[in-house]
């Protein structure tokens, strides 16, 4: 495959030469990228613009689960669960290199819980239908402690095992971006939409975009403009109408990353009832354990949300109630916070867990289409509904959705997870070839982690990475796995990037400083 396909120069040229787009999408997270793929595979001329990097916000900071949502089942939201379980099955089929079947154990400390979860999870299995990941079963106390060697045995009655999906979120985002480009879409990061264009009737018919790298602005016309900006939704709505009311209330969720020794087996733990009424997950991920999450309503949002002290304490305290290997702050390798773009509640209700997680599509009087809410697992369905909405408004010719069977870039059937390069799927062989051609590219970026120099080169040439943070946070996941290791790897990554991108020492120094400032927030 021609390398130039993903190169910024190639993509910027497409921006300059295309006078009219069918669909312009603002926002390069899971939702926007899903819409780009849906749109381009239906044959529409598609442009996506992301102000920073793909999945920079919420879409790289999830609990790494592809799931129906056991919690929503308890709330009686059967339709949302059924839809998510169906989409979970499609994600496993279409991105099998990144999505895997993960067993979860719910530890039971009383017999009523045991009965309740056994019955509830049978319904979960039933709703999954043909796309089930495996049957849920009750297991004895002895089996539970054998499988979860760090669980506290006092008063434990047994466990319930069920199956859900686990994935690498920002890797999937990058692969969806690549698939869209391969299908003919123009997908650009570091290109910020600064304004909307309108015709004489006040109908939105394009955007003003600013290329952050060259400081150049472009006026781009489109038949449909879609706002898929997550927690930044209201900013775009206010570009359209400066009197627009806020429709999104950001809610923060944080995660701690620990060594594998806190959960040595292959099973994840789901704690179904915490003090704030949420569930807490401990999930094996890239040979570490991700523990989360919290739910804290915020009044403002940013690209780098900060974990709150009380959130950290809550996760550590809750984990320590269930684990006999005590977690302390010094055990935390990385801490990351993500924001959920929840639909703003009608009243001042503080119960974020009760605000709907299903997605909503809003059409402004200017015909700007906005999609909010939803979750990673349902990204494909959200995209389908959004493009269908544009068709129903008469803004696009009627073409059917093609993404149910659309394989995502890298998809591979038999995945050998013993080599950390498995996350690249079909691209693994190309990275190995880079190392064969230049053996020094096989050197590790940090002695504690498996990532190599070749992956940095690959990220720049084929995955649109432009900065140290793009590489260490979202292409290789070092910042999320061990923040201190990421900080010490930054100078080496800067050197490789500068060589690939033709940058000077001043740029390198600035990159290291910027990344270090950001990465320090991931260290507890």
């Amino acid at each position: 495959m021609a390398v130039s396909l993903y190169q910024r120069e190639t993509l910027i040229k497409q921006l300059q030469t295309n006078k009219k787009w069918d669909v312009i999408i603002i926002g390069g997270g899971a939702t926007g990228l899903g819409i780009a793929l849906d749109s381009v595979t239906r044959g529409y001329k598609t442009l996506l613009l992301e102000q920073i990097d793909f999945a920079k916000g919420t879409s790289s900071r999830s609990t790494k689960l592809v799931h129906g949502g056991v919690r929503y089942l308890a709330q009686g939201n059967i339709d949302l669960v059924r839809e998510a379980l169906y989409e979970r099955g499609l994600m496993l089929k279409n991105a099998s290199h990144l999505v895997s079947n993960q067993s979860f154990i719910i530890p039971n400390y009383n017999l009523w819980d045991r009965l309740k979860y056994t019955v509830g999870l049978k319904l979960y299995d039933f709703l999954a239908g043909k796309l089930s990941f495996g049957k849920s079963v009750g297991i004895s106390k002895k089996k539970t402690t054998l499988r979860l060697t760090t669980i506290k045995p006092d008063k434990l009655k047994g466990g319930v095992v069920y199956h859900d999906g686990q994935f690498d979120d920002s890797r999937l985002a990058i692969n969806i971006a690549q698939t869209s480009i391969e299908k003919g879409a123009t997908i650009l990061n570091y290109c910020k939409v600064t304004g909307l264009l309108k015709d004489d009737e006040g109908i939105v018919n394009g955007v003003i975009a600013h290329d952050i790298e060259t400081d150049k602005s472009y006026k781009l016309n489109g038949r449909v403009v879609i706002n898929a900006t997550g927690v930044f939704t209201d900013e775009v709505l206010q570009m359209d109408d400066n009197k627009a009311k806020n429709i999104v209330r950001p809610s923060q969720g944080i995660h701690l990353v620990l060594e594998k020794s806190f959960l040595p087996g292959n099973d994840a733990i789901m704690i179904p009832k915490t003090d704030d009424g949420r569930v807490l997950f401990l999930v094996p991920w890239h040979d570490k354990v991700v523990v989360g999450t919290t739910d804290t309503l915020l009044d403002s949002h940013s690209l780098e949300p900060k974990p709150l002290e009380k959130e950290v304490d809550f996760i550590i305290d809750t984990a320590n109630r269930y684990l006999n290997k005590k977690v302390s702050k010094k055990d935390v390798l990385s801490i990351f916070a993500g924001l959920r773009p929840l639909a703003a509640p009608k009243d001042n209700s503080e119960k974020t867990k009760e605000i709907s997680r299903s997605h909503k599509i809003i059409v402004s009087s200017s015909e700007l289409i906005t999609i909010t809410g939803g979750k990673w697992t349902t990204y494909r369905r959200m995209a389908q509904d959004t493009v269908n909405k544009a068709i129903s408004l008469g803004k696009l010719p009627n073409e059917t959705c093609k993404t149910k069977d659309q394989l995502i870039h890298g998809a591979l059937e038999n995945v050998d997870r013993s080599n950390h390069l498995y996350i690249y799927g079909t691209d693994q062989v190309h990275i190995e070839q880079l190392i064969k051609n230049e053996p020094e590219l096989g050197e590790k970026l940090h002695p504690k982690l498996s990532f190599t120099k070749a992956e940095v080169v690959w990220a720049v040439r084929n995955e649109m990475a432009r900065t140290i943070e793009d590489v260490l946070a979202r292409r290789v996941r070092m910042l999320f796995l061990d923040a201190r290791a990421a900080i010490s790897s930054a100078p080496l990554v800067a050197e490789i990037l500068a060589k690939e991108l033709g940058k000077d020492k001043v740029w390198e120094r600035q990159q290291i400083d910027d990344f270090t400032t950001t990465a320090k927030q991931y260290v507890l």
Side-chain angles (χ1 to χ4, degrees), residues 89 334 354 478-479:
S334 183
E354 286 162 20
M478 197 188 287
L479 180 58

Side-chain angles (χ1 to χ4, degrees), residues 496-508:
I496 300 168
L497 281 172
K499 187 181 166 196
E500 285 293 317
L501 295 170
K503 303 289 188 183
D504 60 16
K505 286 284 173 206
V506 177
W507 181 89
E508 259 184 71

